[in-house]
Amino acid sequence: MENKRATYEDLKDDLLLTKDQIAARVKEMGRQITEDFKDKDLTVICILKGAVVFFVDLVREIDLPMTMDFMAISSYGSATKSSGVVRILKDLDKPVNGKDVLIVEDIVDSGMTLSFLRENLLSRGAASLHICTLLDKPERRRVPLHVDYFGFTIPDEFVVGYGLDYAEKYRNLPDIGVLKPEIYEK
Ligand code: IMP
Ligand code: MG
């Protein structure tokens, strides 16, 4: 295998999702979104920072006029678990009232971050609101959340790469892998 990158040493040997698997799925998701949002006033919102790599790939697979906006949030909690208390670090630049909003997120875990965002954006008068996530860990859900588009369902393990981090590292890995537990247990 050509796992040349030094940072891959911190991952379990078998990658969870390779960049080719991800690219194929992102293409399919883009095609579906293109179909579903014809004739809508689409604005696609990237949730920084985790979703940024997925976002830049996904928007190029959506063949529709759209606007983009970015929101940075942080959820308080331990390094590998979110608490559900969400803080907006950077808000949207433009109002979303009347817009058909598609939120793009990296992963849904407890569901608390996205249920906060859903309520927050609906209260600003979005015409419609849909959620798109690359990864979903349904076993860990603590609040009910309807996800409209998801790339892959994954088991309850801490993953990094393709935008996902542990302590801000590993976001630049092209593939997604499971972090060796000794990395976050030490
Ligand atoms: P939720 O509010 O519990 O659904 O948390 C979602 C957020 O937790 C995501 O946006 C990620 O930032 C982070 N997260 C959850 N699971 C993982 C993981 O396996 N790897 C990296 N980040 C994760
Ligand atoms: Mg995140």
Side-chain angles (χ1 to χ4, degrees):
M1 279 281 286
E2 75 308 358
N3 278 359
K4 295 190 209 90
R5 289 169 174 251
T7 32
Y8 277 117
E9 285 169 11
D10 295 349
L11 306 191
K12 290 188 180 170
D13 280 340
D14 293 326
L15 292 171
L16 189 64
L17 296 164
T18 65
K19 63 175 196 286
D20 293 343
Q21 288 175 304
I22 298 167
R25 186 72 184 111
V26 170
K27 212 181 237 310
E28 288 175 358
M29 295 173 85
R31 201 178 303 136
Q32 186 65 53
I33 291 166
T34 302
E35 225 161 85
D36 296 351
F37 284 84
K38 282 205 171 84
D39 306 316
K40 302 272 184 186
D41 190 4
L42 177 61
T43 189
V44 188
I45 294 178
C46 175
I47 306 303
L48 299 170
K49 302 173 213 163
V52 72
V53 179
F54 174 43
F55 179 85
V56 299
D57 285 345
L58 181 69
V59 290
R60 288 176 293 175
E61 300 294 345
I62 302 174
D63 185 13
L64 290 175
M66 66 165 74
T67 59
M68 295 175 192
D69 212 337
F70 298 83
M71 195 164 179
I73 57 168
S74 93
S75 50
Y76 292 104
S78 68
T80 60
K81 282 192 190 74
S82 89
S83 65
V85 182
V86 178
R87 194 160 52 113
I88 297 176
L89 303 176
K90 182 222 168 287
D91 208 343
L92 301 173
D93 291 340
K94 292 269 161 60
V96 290
N97 56 303
K99 293 278 190 180
D100 295 298
V101 172
L102 180 67
I103 301 180
V104 177
E105 179 54 312
D106 51 358
I107 185 166
V108 184
D109 187 44
S110 70
M112 295 172 96
T113 305
L114 277 171
S115 61
F116 165 85
L117 280 174
R118 168 189 284 280
E119 291 317 307
N120 184 283
L121 297 179
L122 283 174
S123 75
R124 303 182 195 196
S128 67
L129 193 138
H130 291 80
I131 291 174
C132 175
T133 181
L134 180 67
L135 305 177
D136 187 8
K137 280 188 202 170
E139 281 171 61
R140 298 201 15 117
R141 203 73 92 248
R142 285 168 58 200
V143 291
L145 179 81
H146 178 73
V147 176
D148 301 281
Y149 305 94
F150 63 90
F152 303 92
T153 296
I154 64 164
D156 179 11
E157 289 185 289
F158 197 80
V159 297
V160 295
Y162 198 70
L164 291 119
D165 74 308
Y166 170 67
E168 296 298 330
K169 287 166 66 187
Y170 311 105
R171 294 193 197 275
N172 58 319
L173 302 187
D175 311 278
I176 294 175
V178 175
L179 195 61
K180 287 179 180 163
E182 60 261 35
I183 304 293
Y184 52 82
E185 279 162 4
K186 70 185 174 201

